[in-house]
Amino acid sequence: MKNFRFKSIWLLSERQQRARKVTFSLRKTLLVGMNHTGKSSLIKSLFIALGARPTGDLDQWSDDTAVVVEISIGDQDYFVVNQMSQRALFSSDGTIKDVATNATEWGTIFTELVGYNLVLTNTRDQSPVSADARTFFLPFYINQDGSWLSTWSTFVGLQQYRQPIQSVLEYFTRVKPAEYYELSSRKTIRQTTLSGLRGEERLVKDIRERVAKTVPLDGPKTVPEAFNQDIDRLTDEMTKLNAQQEQARNALVKEKELLDSLKLQIDMARHALSHYDHDAEYLQKDTHEVLVCPTCHAEHTKTFMDILRHAEDARILRSLIAQLEKDARKATEIYNASRAKLRDLDDRYSAVSDILETRRGDVRLDDVLRGMGAETALAAFAAELGDLKQKIDQLVLEIEGIDGQLAALTDAKRTRGILKRFRSSYEAALTSLNMPPVDTKRMKLSSRPDLSGSGGPRSILAYYSALWKTCVEDDGSYALPVVIDSPQQQGQDASNLPVIIKYIADDLPSKMQVILAVETPTTYKFDKTVTLEHPYQLLRPDEFSEVSDFVRPFLDRMSSRLVERPETTTDPTVS
């Protein structure tokens, strides 16, 4: 079982000159604060930094806020840095390991870091796709804005996956262990290849049948009188290819102009950034209170805000360079794809042209076919079909072998044992939370309760806690932090709210890290309490200097790594 823990979070807004650092207990942490004091914003920032955006907005939040989250995975500590769409992963000693400028890049970095290998189905095209941080944290976070009701609306964008809930819950409770999904992914890849080979086999058989019908074994396929029709068809094909080539060349020229423009902007931004860096070095080293312009000799006072605005300009330039690099990489992909398309058109044009020229020479099509003979053509088809059959048979055997391994990993007896633990845990939680008993004989892992009134949140908490207790059994996949945002939902009455808090404090598994957000203090024991007092002031001016000193080096290293990425290069020659 892999242990994942939240250790600390740093939040920094250079625009507002405010910041905050919060450290979590590795066991039970209580966040206390009335509405709008920032409990949900603090929690959501944890998940956003790790690539899982929760449902619900961050109220009065500065878009430039940088977030650094310290996590532990097993016995290793890491820092994750996030600002806007940029993220970076650092080791515990501050060494940068990887950077990302979009969700796809970060998804790969995150899943490799935690060893998360769940494969789901893409809703758009039904293709297999790797699950990301949203599904990784899904069973372990009760979001104030999307989890206390009967639907799984914890994170934004879960619709990308086709029916993901059952697979996610089976993964973490090990109804289907991690090895199952590795094998399932390999099976999906082979099934896709097999489908393509079978389609190719059908096409070859169809062409073979057509040739067998039109080319008798005792004579040539074509007579000279029909030869002119073939030439006319080839001429039409060349005309169409010529038009497609012209269209592709025009598109390629425009794409090259866009790419050159982006590269020019990148060069200009890099040049400006180098001047900012030199100026920043001068501002920090110069001990004079007055700055003298070398051109006009005007005198300027050197204030802290001037230096700060100068640093902010440099940060914006670094972000601009990273975004331009991203746009340039995308433009390069489009440009290279167009070049490949044009080369393919050129090859097709040359091939058709060669055939046409050959037919205009001394060699006639009917002579070639007569010399070759229909038997040779059919023999070539037979050889191709034999090769395809061999590949198909090999894939069928491999898929059957994987099916056997999958069956062994979905042991019915073990599955019944897991469901029994889940159902009994749910029944016990209902009793502890002052809820009436229910029939759980047919209850599935995905049978999320749907009750109205004050009993609704308690039934939801009982359901989640049953999942958590099942997940942390000896054969569970991960031990992840449980984060519960404000159980005071749907008019929870005063007598039952303490029951909920007591249950969270005393009855959840001791080996789990728990972070609970509530509105008022409680007498129940938590290992650490963080109090948030001022509305809309989660970030505080008195912490800015200390947090900035810690966070700024991470941001600078992330920006430098993004700027240092290999520049997009292409062959400027339009072929």
Side-chain angles (χ1 to χ4, degrees):
M1 180 182 293
K2 296 180 181 178
N3 290 310
F4 183 107
R5 296 288 184 266
F6 293 123
K7 298 188 71 174
S8 300
I9 182 171
W10 293 260
L11 303 130
L12 173 70
S13 174
E14 293 180 322
R15 182 184 303 165
Q16 295 180 341
Q17 297 288 284
R18 295 174 180 269
R20 189 69 175 258
K21 176 189 176 182
V22 174
T23 300
F24 304 101
S25 166
L26 295 182
R27 295 191 63 197
K28 290 182 171 62
T29 300
L30 186 69
L31 301 178
V32 181
M34 297 302 291
N35 290 336
H36 309 301
T37 54
K39 302 186 301 296
S40 295
S41 295
L42 177 64
I43 289 171
K44 288 176 180 177
S45 295
L46 281 171
F47 293 107
I48 291 173
L50 294 171
R53 178 170 289 276
T55 301
D57 296 329
L58 278 68
D59 199 13
Q60 296 193 16
W61 195 252
S62 178
D63 291 339
D64 78 315
T65 301
V67 182
V68 176
V69 177
E70 184 182 14
I71 59 175
S72 66
I73 302 173
D75 57 357
Q76 297 292 321
D77 292 344
Y78 301 92
F79 294 100
V80 175
V81 180
N82 171 226
Q83 187 174 44
M84 308 292 283
S85 63
Q86 300 172 1
R87 290 181 175 85
L89 175 67
F90 292 81
S91 59
S92 58
D93 63 0
T95 301
I96 189 166
K97 299 177 71 66
D98 218 333
V99 292
T101 58
N102 56 60
T104 302
E105 290 179 350
W106 175 252
T108 301
I109 295 170
F110 179 81
T111 53
E112 289 179 354
L113 175 68
V114 300
Y116 185 42
N117 58 356
L118 177 62
V119 177
L120 299 172
T121 301
N122 193 319
T123 302
R124 179 172 54 83
D125 58 8
Q126 307 303 306
S127 62
V129 59
S130 296
D132 61 12
R134 291 170 296 180
T135 59
F136 184 74
F137 293 112
L138 183 61
F140 304 96
Y141 170 37
I142 303 182
N143 179 6
Q144 174 178 265
D145 297 307
S147 299
W148 288 105
L149 300 176
S150 60
T151 58
W152 290 88
S153 302
T154 308
F155 293 107
V156 174
L158 287 172
Q159 300 84 356
Q160 172 191 351
Y161 304 112
R162 181 176 178 271
Q163 298 178 346
I165 305 303
Q166 187 70 27
S167 295
V168 171
L169 299 182
E170 289 179 344
Y171 181 93
F172 284 103
T173 58
R174 286 185 68 83
V175 167
K176 293 177 181 175
E179 297 85 354
Y180 178 93
Y181 295 96
E182 292 178 2
L183 288 169
S184 181
S185 176
R186 285 156 54 185
K187 177 183 175 181
T188 300
I189 293 171
R190 283 159 175 75
Q191 285 178 324
T192 302
T193 304
L194 179 61
S195 177
L197 288 175
R198 282 178 168 160
E200 187 177 348
E201 182 185 42
R202 288 192 296 270
L203 178 62
V204 173
K205 286 182 177 179
D206 183 57
I207 295 174
R208 183 191 62 179
E209 294 302 319
R210 292 186 182 187
V211 170
K213 290 178 180 179
T214 57
V215 183
L217 293 176
D218 58 352
K221 170 184 177 285
T222 308
V223 294
E225 288 75 13
F227 189 41
N228 289 331
Q229 296 177 5
D230 293 332
I231 295 177
D232 291 340
R233 284 196 295 270
L234 286 172
T235 303
D236 290 341
E237 179 70 12
M238 287 190 67
T239 302
K240 292 178 183 178
L241 285 173
N242 192 37
Q244 292 174 356
Q245 283 177 313
E246 188 64 27
Q247 184 180 4
R249 287 192 180 95
N250 290 337
L252 200 61
V253 169
K254 293 178 181 179
E255 291 161 5
K256 184 63 171 60
E257 290 175 351
L258 173 61
L259 185 57
D260 288 342
S261 174
L262 287 170
K263 293 177 69 176
L264 178 61
Q265 293 177 58
I266 291 171
D267 290 341
M268 293 173 63
R270 287 177 182 275
H271 182 70
L273 183 60
S274 68
H275 283 287
Y276 272 106
D277 291 339
H278 289 309
D279 292 346
E281 183 179 357
Y282 174 75
L283 287 172
Q284 293 176 6
K285 290 183 177 180
D286 184 26
T287 58
H288 299 289
E289 294 297 325
V290 176
L291 299 175
V292 179
C293 176
T295 303
C296 64
H297 304 292
E299 295 184 352
H300 305 273
T301 58
K302 187 177 76 171
T303 67
F304 173 74
M305 289 304 298
D306 290 332
I307 297 175
L308 188 62
R309 282 194 294 269
H310 191 85
E312 175 66 9
D313 290 342
R315 184 193 68 79
I316 293 172
L317 265 178
R318 290 190 176 93
S319 297
L320 175 62
I321 291 172
Q323 183 61 46
L324 288 172
E325 286 281 5
K326 177 181 175 183
D327 294 342
R329 286 191 293 273
K330 183 176 180 180
T332 300
E333 291 175 2
I334 297 173
Y335 175 74
N336 289 335
S338 296
R339 291 184 65 216
K341 179 180 178 182
L342 182 57
R343 283 195 297 270
D344 179 62
L345 289 172
D346 287 343
D347 292 342
R348 289 169 56 192
Y349 185 91
S350 298
V352 174
S353 179
D354 290 343
I355 294 172
L356 194 57
E357 290 298 325
T358 300
R359 292 182 178 185
R360 286 172 177 168
D362 296 333
V363 182
R364 299 168 64 94
L365 179 60
D366 58 316
D367 294 332
V368 173
L369 284 176
R370 188 177 294 111
M372 177 180 176
E375 292 182 358
T376 305
L378 294 177
F381 283 122
E384 179 67 17
L385 289 171
D387 182 56
L388 287 171
K389 185 178 185 304
Q390 184 178 1
K391 294 178 180 178
I392 288 171
D393 290 345
Q394 178 63 31
L395 283 172
V396 169
L397 288 174
E398 291 179 9
I399 291 172
E400 289 177 352
I402 293 175
D403 282 336
Q405 296 178 67
L406 291 175
L409 290 172
T410 51
D411 180 74
K413 181 179 180 180
R414 191 184 77 247
T415 299
R416 286 194 296 270
I418 292 172
L419 288 174
K420 182 179 180 180
R421 288 199 299 270
F422 167 70
R423 291 163 181 165
S424 63
S425 296
Y426 181 60
E427 291 172 353
L430 288 176
T431 301
S432 298
L433 291 167
N434 289 346
M435 293 291 294
V438 297
D439 183 8
T440 61
K441 290 181 180 178
R442 298 183 180 275
M443 188 175 186
K444 301 177 181 178
L445 291 173
S446 57
S447 298
R448 190 182 178 98
D450 184 11
L451 294 179
S452 59
S454 65
R458 280 178 284 149
S459 66
I460 289 292
L461 179 59
Y463 169 71
Y464 272 97
S465 70
L467 289 176
W468 299 334
K469 291 179 179 180
T470 306
C471 290
V472 299
E473 293 290 339
D474 292 338
D475 58 352
S477 299
Y478 288 87
L480 291 183
V482 165
V483 181
I484 307 168
D485 191 0
S486 298
Q488 191 169 353
Q489 302 288 323
Q490 295 177 235
Q492 196 61 236
D493 53 88
S495 61
N496 280 312
L497 183 59
V499 171
I500 293 176
I501 297 176
K502 178 181 185 302
Y503 180 79
I504 295 171
D506 298 341
D507 293 353
L508 293 184
S510 60
K511 65 177 70 175
M512 298 187 73
Q513 182 186 26
V514 177
I515 300 173
L516 171 65
V518 295
E519 293 183 5
T520 56
T522 178
T523 58
Y524 297 109
K525 180 174 176 54
F526 283 78
D527 298 285
K528 180 169 186 176
T529 299
V530 177
T531 303
L532 307 176
E533 298 176 344
H534 305 291
Y536 304 109
Q537 294 185 34
L538 170 63
L539 308 188
R540 305 193 306 204
D542 58 302
E543 292 192 32
F544 177 78
S545 178
E546 179 184 353
V547 173
S548 179
D549 288 344
F550 180 80
V551 172
R552 171 46 57 190
F554 284 107
L555 296 177
D556 290 342
R557 274 172 270 170
M558 178 173 70
S559 296
S560 297
R561 172 64 70 87
L562 289 170
V563 171
E564 291 168 1
R565 276 185 168 186
E567 288 193 59
T568 306
T569 57
T570 59
D571 181 358
T573 305
V574 178
S575 58

